[in-house]
């Protein structure tokens, strides 16, 4: 099965408008194989994708890459632990709120949750911190989110975890299979939406509500317009003096204006909201 240039460009435009995701020409063959497996003609897809939300997210599952692991860029989590300990001391009348953008199969938000538990244990001698933290995680892939909710990992995902971390925060289910323990899972709530959607960010995240946002290796798939839209939503979601973590190789200097200050830490550059 082949997809004409006109139909492919139309599909790319629809997905871009709904998610901010830029589909490359390399994804054309993946899309053709998907259509063939579903017995969908390219021309009919052009119309169906406009109205069928399930079909849209099925296509997103086909073209997105969901490969990550626990404590990726580990030094950033060491910095986060220090930030959370400080917040635990200062913030007592509400939950500390952290948003994991583009959470994929869940390794990042669960790494954040484990870090929160460690910070709480360091101060109070208990990992039970559900009353102190709330972690929101989103992605545009239903398949990835389903795996995240199952919270079962092995092999590549856990390759950097110590025996102490595995025994404390995971339940072994098979020789190479571990499930995140319930007290960690309860800290995280997963949602299906895009960071570029003003409506969904306001609905699920809100304004001026997050102490920290992790948006790592997400905006690299966006064009400049989508990057700006994503950063606008992240800025609106962060509290004054809130923290934004990007991947070490990413920068927002070209689109951030004077909205963020740069903090140089042992974990690299972290952006701090200026209001």
């Amino acid at each position: 099965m082949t997809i004409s240039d006109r139909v492919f460009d139309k599909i790319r435009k629809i997905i871009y408008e709904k998610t901010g995701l830029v589909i490359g020409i390399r994804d054309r063959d993946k899309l053709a194989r998907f259509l063939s497996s579903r017995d969908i003609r390219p021309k009919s897809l052009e119309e169906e994708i406009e109205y069928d939300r399930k079909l849209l997210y099925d296509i997103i599952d086909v073209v997105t890459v969901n490969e990550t692991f626990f404590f990726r860029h580990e030094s950033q989590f060491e910095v986060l632990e220090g930030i959370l300990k400080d917040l635990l001391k200062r913030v007592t009348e509400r939950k500390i709120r952290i948003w994991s953008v583009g959470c994929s199969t869940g390794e990042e938000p669960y790494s954040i949750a484990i870090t929160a538990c460690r910070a709480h244990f360091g101060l109070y001698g208990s990992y039970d911190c559900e009353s102190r933290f709330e972690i929101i995680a989103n992605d545009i892939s239903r398949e990835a989110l389903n795996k995240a909710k199952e919270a079962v990992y092995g092999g590549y995902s856990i390759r950097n975890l110590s025996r102490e971390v595995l025994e404390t925060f995971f339940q072994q289910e098979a020789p190479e299979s571990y499930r995140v323990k319930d007290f960690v899972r309860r800290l995280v709530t997963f949602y299906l939406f895009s960071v570029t959607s003003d409506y969904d960010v306001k609905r699920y995240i809100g304004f001026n509500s997050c102490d920290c946002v992790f948006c790592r290796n997400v905006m690299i798939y966006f064009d400049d317009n989508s990057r700006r839209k994503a950063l606008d939503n992240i800025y609106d979601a962060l509290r004054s003096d809130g923290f934004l973590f990007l991947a070490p190789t990413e920068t927002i200097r070209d689109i951030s204006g004077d909205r963020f200050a740069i903090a140089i830490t042992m974990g690299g550059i972290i952006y701090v909201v200026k209001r």
Side-chain angles (χ1 to χ4, degrees):
M1 177 181 291
T2 59
I3 303 175
S4 70
D5 291 342
R6 185 189 67 80
V7 172
F8 184 62
D9 288 343
K10 177 68 173 178
I11 294 169
R12 292 172 73 183
K13 181 181 178 182
I14 293 169
I15 292 177
Y16 173 75
E17 289 173 348
K18 292 183 181 295
T19 69
L21 182 68
V22 178
I23 293 182
I25 193 68
R26 67 185 182 279
D27 297 313
R28 192 168 180 163
D29 289 342
K30 294 181 185 177
L31 187 56
R33 289 193 294 271
F34 167 78
L35 298 181
S36 179
S37 69
R38 293 290 189 88
D39 197 26
I40 301 173
R41 297 179 60 214
K43 288 185 178 179
S44 65
L45 175 65
E46 182 182 349
E47 297 177 359
E48 292 177 29
I49 196 175
E50 283 276 16
Y51 307 104
D52 188 338
R53 188 175 179 86
K54 180 179 182 301
L55 179 59
L56 170 66
Y57 284 107
D58 283 345
I59 292 172
I60 290 170
D61 286 339
V62 169
V63 299
T64 51
V65 177
N66 297 300
E67 184 175 82
T68 185
F69 51 90
F70 279 87
F71 291 97
R72 188 175 185 178
H73 310 307
E74 186 171 8
S75 60
Q76 291 188 326
F77 292 96
E78 295 171 1
V79 173
L80 176 65
E81 185 171 347
I83 291 171
L84 296 183
K85 284 182 177 179
D86 179 63
L87 287 169
L88 281 168
K89 295 173 185 176
R90 294 190 292 107
V91 178
T92 58
E93 297 182 356
R94 62 171 177 84
K95 287 187 177 183
I96 297 163
R97 211 158 186 249
I98 308 164
W99 178 16
S100 171
V101 179
C103 67
S104 188
T105 46
E107 288 89 339
E108 179 178 273
Y110 288 133
S111 295
I112 294 170
I114 290 170
T115 302
C117 291
R118 283 171 153 176
H120 191 269
F121 184 86
L123 293 176
Y124 308 113
S126 169
Y127 290 122
D128 184 8
C129 55
E130 188 177 359
S131 65
R132 302 300 306 275
F133 292 103
E134 178 184 9
I135 299 165
I136 305 99
N138 78 285
D139 204 272
I140 60 172
S141 169
R142 287 182 314 166
E143 183 178 350
L145 288 177
N146 286 338
K147 291 180 180 178
K149 292 172 184 177
E150 291 173 0
V152 178
Y153 301 95
Y156 184 85
S157 290
I158 63 172
R159 72 187 194 281
N160 290 333
L161 297 183
S162 67
R163 176 55 52 186
E164 180 268 331
V165 169
L166 286 173
E167 291 178 352
T168 304
F169 301 105
F170 293 79
Q171 181 69 46
Q172 187 169 9
E173 297 200 331
E176 295 297 327
S177 179
Y178 294 81
R179 183 184 297 274
V180 180
K181 288 185 177 179
D182 287 347
F183 73 89
V184 179
R185 295 174 64 187
R186 285 196 296 267
L187 300 181
V188 186
T189 305
F190 294 97
Y191 295 104
L192 178 69
F193 69 89
S194 171
V195 66
T196 61
S197 169
D198 298 345
Y199 172 80
D200 286 329
V201 172
K202 289 175 183 175
R203 178 185 179 189
Y204 295 112
I205 306 299
F207 178 77
N208 195 27
S209 66
C210 294
D211 297 284
C212 299
V213 173
F214 275 63
C215 184
R216 306 185 306 166
N217 299 305
V218 175
M219 290 190 282
I220 58 174
Y221 297 103
F222 292 167
D223 64 6
D224 285 345
N225 182 58
S226 293
R227 288 175 68 227
R228 289 189 180 92
K229 186 178 290 187
L231 190 63
D232 287 348
N233 286 334
I234 289 170
Y235 179 80
D236 287 344
L238 278 165
R239 291 179 174 272
S240 298
D241 298 324
F243 298 90
L244 171 60
F245 290 77
L246 301 177
T249 57
E250 293 182 276
T251 181
I252 54 171
R253 293 180 184 179
D254 58 325
I255 60 172
S256 63
D258 61 354
R259 294 179 293 177
F260 291 87
I262 294 176
I264 307 297
T265 72
M266 294 298 290
I269 292 175
I270 296 173
Y271 295 87
V272 185
V273 169
K274 292 167 57 180
R275 284 201 178 97

